[in-house]
Amino acid sequence: MGDLEGVEVEVVTHAGGVEGLRTGTSHTALLEEFAERGVRFVVCENTLRSRSISHGDFPGYIGTVPSAIVELIVRQAEGWCYLGP
């Protein structure tokens, strides 16, 4: 895997996208490796609330943001690039 030094990466998920970050998925080990290299993973609290999903359903390295859409808007205003699915 390439070097991420000097690069900030944040993966923002909402709706069905949060499912891929839950504990016990087939790619949990890969996500953990990315997290150890500095990639920040966050899930939308609005999604969690609307789908009755607990924060405890995710590994400890997964953070939350109040609204994924607002997070994306703020990051883009700060100069970040948005790469969609």
Side-chain angles (χ1 to χ4, degrees):
M1 189 179 322
D3 185 12
L4 294 175
E5 188 174 328
V7 175
E8 289 183 80
V9 177
E10 180 177 73
V11 177
V12 180
T13 60
H14 65 97
V18 304
E19 297 299 329
L21 300 182
R22 287 179 107 155
T23 300
T25 65
S26 61
H27 47 273
T28 298
L30 180 60
L31 295 174
E32 187 171 324
E33 183 177 343
F34 282 139
E36 288 173 359
R37 291 174 171 263
V39 174
R40 182 173 180 232
F41 293 94
V42 296
V43 295
C44 175
E45 290 179 5
N46 288 336
T47 295
L48 299 183
R49 195 170 29 262
S50 71
R51 295 176 179 229
S52 299
I53 300 173
S54 168
H55 293 165
D57 290 348
F58 299 90
Y61 57 85
I62 304 292
T64 62
V65 292
S67 167
I69 301 305
V70 171
E71 180 73 2
L72 293 173
I73 291 168
V74 168
R75 291 298 190 185
Q76 287 180 71
E78 293 173 344
W80 288 57
C81 295
Y82 168 70
L83 302 173

